[in-house]
Amino acid sequence: MAKFTDYNLRPEIIQALEQIHFNEPTEVQARLIPVVLQGRSVVGQSQTGSGKTHTFLIPIFQKFQADNQNVQAIITTPSRELAQQIFNAAKQLATTFADGQAPRIGLYIGGTDKNRQLQQLKTQQPQLVIGTPGRIKDLYEANAALDIHTATALVVDEADMTLDMGFLNEVDTIASALPSNLQMMVFSATIPQKLQPFLRKYLTNPVIEEIPTATVISPTIENILVGTKGQTKDELVYSLLTMGTPYMALVFTNSKARAKALAKYLRTRGLKIAEIHGDIQPRERKRTMAAIQNLDYQYVVATDLAARGIDIPGVSLIINDGIPTELEFFVHRVGRTGRNGQPGTAITIYNPDEEDRVAAVEHMGITFKPMTLTKSGELKDGYDRRRREQRNKSTVKLDPTMIGMVKKKKKKVKPGYKRQIKSAIARDARYKKRVEERASLRANRKAKKKASNK
């Protein structure tokens, strides 16, 4: 097993990693840190929570030159919350450096005071830039207030999310302003086809590593599937939230409108709810996140932006208000609990018309435990919704007429209908057998006649 001490890192970096109990690199770190330290461009494909942040931060800090006052590296990420997380991780790495030896780190995200940032940039440039693509681009295009052309390393974090949120053009503008000897590091949970042209434009013979996950989700997570069975999802979510005492519960919805409607309903039932979605203004979202971190809220309703964009510690319960529109978000949602070996529960609610989507999630390697919510508000073992498919089926193949009869009889149920259907099937089988026997006799007669004529 590799250790961080194997990479000949600065003592300050080793000390900072020990402070947060990072002794052994994760798989993505073990594969890519040595390559990045050699100056190679890389594409790292691995899931959220695999350790990508330190995979690029450690080499950036290792190569940092304190006497170079210019921008040396840029890290773009599609959401403010992700940028803040990377900024916090970078600040922690910097704590063990002597005064004046750690990089000046600039955080540039939407929702902050742009004019103030412009004034600060007139007097001093950051050495490490972390931010959202739109704000970094704006500061660069404001008469080059943020002078990025000196950077020799560019990290594009969560590239697929960057593409989905429409920020790839901004990243393209940033990358095109950087020197030709640029080292680019692209990290992403998935590599969509639409991302390929961008990668080909800026990456020449990169090292590509796809890190498989040992398990699709953490084995410490109990993954439960609950059908609505006549209940509304609003009622079911409320019952699941209140049947126990979760330390922190996170409810995911597929749209902003649904998040707002569900949060409103839960408030009418007396729950104190925090909302995290795109319609929450930046300052309000920042205040909400601070309140969540301060444990002022026990229940959070969020869209999929939160699945990739925020890190809420201590989440013990995840509720999926339906199957996510993009199936890969299922893993990101569920991955908000059961972290660092801690137990967690993820409950997915589904309607009968979502059977195909449930099956698609199972095809990804997810194993559900079917359960039902009793009238007394307790979860009990449910039946396997696929049980009908797993029964032995009749070997008698019905013709379209018989199939129609079976369907018709099932719709209009009368006493003895099962016996009637069985009799009809038997008659059909006998008829087909007689037809086959006659055909066989005719074939034999023809064969004998042909033989006698020779």
Side-chain angles (χ1 to χ4, degrees), residues 246-249 312-317 336-337:
Y247 181 81
M248 176 74 73
I312 301 175
V315 175
S316 59
L317 174 64
R336 297 301 94 193
T337 189

Side-chain angles (χ1 to χ4, degrees), residues 264-448:
K264 182 178 179 180
Y265 170 80
L266 294 174
R267 290 190 186 104
T268 66
R269 299 297 301 270
L271 299 184
K272 186 179 179 182
I273 302 293
E275 294 179 50
I276 299 292
H277 52 73
D279 281 352
I280 302 295
Q281 294 300 312
R283 290 186 180 181
E284 178 62 26
R285 188 160 69 180
K286 188 175 182 179
R287 285 194 294 267
T288 300
M289 282 303 304
I292 292 170
Q293 302 286 352
N294 198 37
L295 301 181
D296 293 340
Y297 291 96
Q298 187 181 6
Y299 309 106
V300 181
V301 175
T303 55
D304 281 309
L305 171 65
R308 298 276 292 276
I310 62 176
D311 186 14
I312 301 175
V315 175
S316 59
L317 174 64
I318 295 290
I319 295 180
N320 288 315
D321 177 60
I323 306 296
T325 306
E326 300 293 335
L327 292 181
E328 64 265 24
F329 277 117
F330 183 90
V331 175
H332 300 308
R333 290 179 176 188
V334 174
R336 297 301 94 193
T337 189
R339 312 196 89 175
N340 300 317
Q342 296 298 312
T345 301
I347 303 176
T348 299
I349 301 171
Y350 78 103
N351 285 325
D353 61 356
E354 293 181 296
E355 288 280 357
D356 290 345
R357 299 192 62 73
V358 173
V361 172
E362 290 174 325
H363 186 68
M364 295 166 59
I366 303 295
T367 301
F368 287 113
K369 179 181 180 180
M371 302 191 81
T372 59
L373 188 68
T374 65
K375 292 182 178 179
S376 60
E378 296 179 344
L379 281 174
K380 68 173 184 179
D381 289 343
Y383 61 83
D384 188 342
R385 42 174 250 292
R386 298 166 300 175
R387 67 194 187 285
R388 292 190 182 93
E389 300 172 8
Q390 294 167 350
R391 292 176 182 168
N392 291 330
K393 297 181 180 179
S394 171
T395 58
V396 178
K397 186 174 181 180
L398 303 182
D399 64 23
T401 303
M402 295 304 299
I403 292 172
M405 181 179 178
V406 170
K407 289 182 177 179
K408 183 177 180 181
K409 288 290 184 181
K410 284 185 176 180
K411 288 180 181 178
K412 190 175 181 180
V413 177
K414 291 183 178 180
Y417 82 98
K418 289 185 178 179
R419 177 176 51 79
Q420 295 174 28
I421 291 175
K422 287 181 179 179
S423 297
I425 291 173
R427 286 196 303 271
D428 181 67
R430 289 195 298 270
Y431 171 76
K432 289 181 176 178
K433 185 177 180 180
R434 287 197 299 271
V435 170
E436 290 174 358
E437 288 174 348
R438 290 170 184 167
S440 177
L441 288 172
R442 283 196 298 269
N444 288 335
R445 285 198 298 268
K446 287 182 179 179
K448 289 180 181 179

Side-chain angles (χ1 to χ4, degrees), residues 20 27 38 59 68 130 149 192 231 233 242 251 257-258 265 272 300 328 355 372 384 396 434 446:
I20 54 176
E27 187 170 2
Q38 294 172 8
N68 180 354
I130 300 171
H149 81 277
Q231 286 184 286
K233 284 187 176 180
T242 55
V251 183
R258 174 58 183 155
Y265 170 80
K272 186 179 179 182
V300 181
E328 64 265 24
E355 288 280 357
T372 59
D384 188 342
V396 178
R434 287 197 299 271
K446 287 182 179 179

